[in-house]
Amino acid sequence: MAAHRKPRRRSAGGIGGIGGSTARTAWTIALAGAATATGFDGTAQAEPQLTPAQVKAKVDKLYQEAEVATEKYNGAKEEADTAERRIRTLQDEAARKTDKLNSARDALGSMAAAQYRDGGVDPALRLALSEDPDRYLDGAEFAERAGNRQASSVASVRRQLREIEQLRGAAHVELTSLKSRQAELKRHTKTITGKLDTARTLLSRLTAEEQARLTDRATRSSADARVPLGAQAPNSRAAAAISYARTKIGSPYVWGATGPDAFDCSGLTQAAYRSAGISLPRTTYSQIDAGRRVSRSELLPGDLVFFYSGISHVGLYIGDGQMIHAPNPSAPVRVAPLDEMPFAGATRVA
């Protein structure tokens, strides 16, 4: 470290009232920190400049990590949507049963009115029509006091009350599940957007020419992407799925999207087979179990092909070692070779 001139000693207690020895120590530490921050030559140390190849490697890794989070997001969203549907069903059923219960209690009210006209109301009926019918329905004396018709009516009310409580309990369970899935969605969304923002920041440091070179292959024209025709599909459903995917070449990649104008990887394969009349699960790690596993040497057009050890990416095989897939935010739906990513497995669903 370069030598620095020693500051003049102050006569009145050092710097700001600090003793001379302490002040000299503090001054030395401050100078050392300044030298560390600025470098030996006194200039700021710049962050190492990455080469375009290094930027591409980092960006590709960020995209792959974002896609892992995207598939987790897709799974959590599917579960949240299912929970919402179940809650609506349970609420509708509870409402219907509540209406039926109210009718049954109205009938009991008519019984009570008739008894009153005849000289009084059975205490059990008074409880049944009170603000606390559960207390009445659980009373062991009721069956002994009521006539057959009355006992049957109250037994029906008891059953309906229990059914409604069961429905409310089930709805509470589903609501708890929904809240958990919603919190999970927020976590995955934060992960995805954070990684994509970092990738955009890295790419912004490159010149326009460097960015163009890196994305040239990913942004080739749809006409060029349609050149590989692949082998003939083995059946009409596989052919229909491939035909749909071909019409989507050039569509943008958007995480969480299932079409018709934008897709993520599993959203594209799901939409392609939906058009062929086959329902696929939403996520890559579910789609791989949606059919019969096949080896790479057995691949036929229409098979789903999966990549990475975590099964975080999927494409639609079209033959000749090619697939149609939705790559990542840097590239639209396109035709690409299977060798573009580490192959993890394949499934035949048609």
Side-chain angles (χ1 to χ4, degrees), residues 138-160:
D138 290 334
E141 298 179 1
F142 173 76
E144 298 176 358
R145 295 185 177 183
N148 290 337
R149 178 166 174 260
Q150 186 171 295
S152 175
S153 297
V154 172
S156 175
V157 170
R158 180 200 304 240
R159 185 182 64 255
Q160 292 174 56

